[in-house]
Amino acid sequence: MQSREHLVLGIESSCDETAAAIVAGGRRILSSVVASQVEIHRKYGGVVPELASREHLRQIVPVVREAVEQAGVELREVDAIAVTRGPGLIGSLLVGVTYGKVLALALGKPLVAVNHLEGHVHAVLLEAHAVGRQPQLPALCLIVSGGHTVLYRVTTEAANGAETFSYARLGGTRDDAAGEAYDKVAKLLALGYPGGPVMDRLAAHGNGRAVPFREPKMRGNPYDFSFSGIKTAVLYYLRRNPQLQPEIATRQQALDRGERSPDALRALSSSATLDLIASFQRTVVDDLAARTLAAAEEHATRAVFVSGGVAANSELRRTFESAAPLRGMKVYFPSRALSTDNAAMIAAAGHARFLSGERADATLNAEANLPLA
Ligand code: KG4
Ligand code: ZN
C-alpha cells in the first residue's frame, strides 16, 4: 500500500442493509460487507422500521469486524471513520451513527459524516476508477432506488490538493420512488419482494408496447418524477382483467411455499401478465431516461451517472447506453453490487470530505430527511 493512501472505514445503516467497508485512497475497495435484511422484511412486503433497527443492532459489530478482517488490516490502522448520517430511517441511522461515534472516540480516530445520496454518487466514481474510466465532471446524476428518485448536477473543485464535490438538486419524485413502484406492482401481481429484480427478468419475456400506459405528465418542473399514477394504472388494469386473478393466487401460493425464483414465477405467468410487466418497465425506464437526458442536455453535462438499486435494471442500462451517445454523452453505472446500498460508497464519499478537513464530533446526530442540496 502506498503511504499516501488513507484507509477509511465506511459504515452504512440507513435502510435495511447493515454494511461496512474499508476503502484505500477513496478508490480501492479492500472489503465491502453487506448484511441484507431482505429475508426479515419479505413477509411484510416492505421494510418494517422497528425490525430494521433491531437487526442493525444485532449486525453492526460483526459486520464491521468482518470488513476489517477481510481487508487484512487492523482497526487501529484506519485513518478515518465515515458514517451515513442521513437521509433514511431514523432508528436505523441511529445505530450506525452511534456506533461510528463510539468507535471514533475509542480509537481516537477522526469521524466524518456522509450523506447517503452522496454515497450513491461515489458508487459511480468507485466503479469508473476500478475499470479505468475518468468521467468528466460536471455530471448529471440520477439516483433511483426504493427510497429515492432524484436528479443532481454534480460539480467538483480542487482545493489544497483535495477534491470537493458540490451538488445542485434539479428535481425528484413527488410521490413514490421508482423502486417503490416496482415493489408495489410486484405485490399486486404476487411476484415477491423486492419486486425489481424479478420483474426485470420477467419483462424480457413480454411485449413492452402491449399495454399503453401514459407517461407521467409533470406540471412545473420537467425534472420532477411521479410513479404513483402508473402503480394505480396497473391496479385498474387488473380490475378490468379479472381473468388474471387465478394466476395471481397461484403465484401467491408458490411464494408462500418459498418458490420465488424468476423461472418458477415465470412458469406461473401468462403472456398477458408478462406483457403487463414489460409495459410497466418500458414506461418507467423511458420516463427516467428521458427526463435525465433532457436535464443533462439543458445543463450541458457530458457525463451521466445512474446509481441506486434500480440502476441494476437491465433495460434501464440498455436504454441509457444506447440513448446517451446519440446526444454526445457518456453514461456511467456502478457495478451491480455497488448499485444497491453498501458502505464502500460511504467510505469513498467520506474520504473526499476527510481530505478537505471536515470532521464530525460527539454531537453528531442522525437526520432522517437530511438534504444533499
Ligand atoms: O438502493 P436499494 O438497495 O435500497 C434503497 O435505498 O431503496 O434499492 C432497492 C430497490 C428496490 O425497490 C428494488 O425493487 C429495486 O431497488 N431494484 C430493482 C432492480 N434491482 C433492485 N428495480 C428494477 N430492476 C432491478 N433489476
Ligand atoms: Zn440507497
Side-chain angles (χ1 to χ4, degrees), residues 15-17 116 120 144-148 178-180 182-183 194-197 200 281 308-314 336 339-341:
C15 188
D16 62 340
E17 260 102 29
H116 179 80
H120 279 299
V144 59
S145 70
H148 308 279
E180 195 178 353
Y182 266 97
D183 295 338
D200 187 359
Q281 174 155 293
V310 183
N313 187 271
S314 36
R336 276 170 209 256
S339 294
T340 49
D341 288 349

Side-chain angles (χ1 to χ4, degrees), residues 12 21 38 54 71 116 156 159 177 190 199 201 204 216 246 256 278 320 340 373:
E12 154 66 35
V38 70
R54 202 170 70 189
H116 179 80
T156 183
M199 288 177 66
R201 290 277 300 275
D256 293 343
F320 271 100
T340 49

Side-chain angles (χ1 to χ4, degrees), residues 12-21 32-41 52 55-64 66-67 341-343:
E12 154 66 35
S13 70
S14 65
C15 188
D16 62 340
E17 260 102 29
T18 320
S32 179
V33 178
V34 180
S36 166
Q37 303 178 1
V38 70
E39 294 302 332
I40 291 165
H41 301 290
E55 195 57 18
H56 283 303
L57 271 175
R58 262 169 32 84
Q59 295 286 359
I60 190 91
V61 174
V63 163
V64 169
E66 177 81 24
D341 288 349
N342 65 86

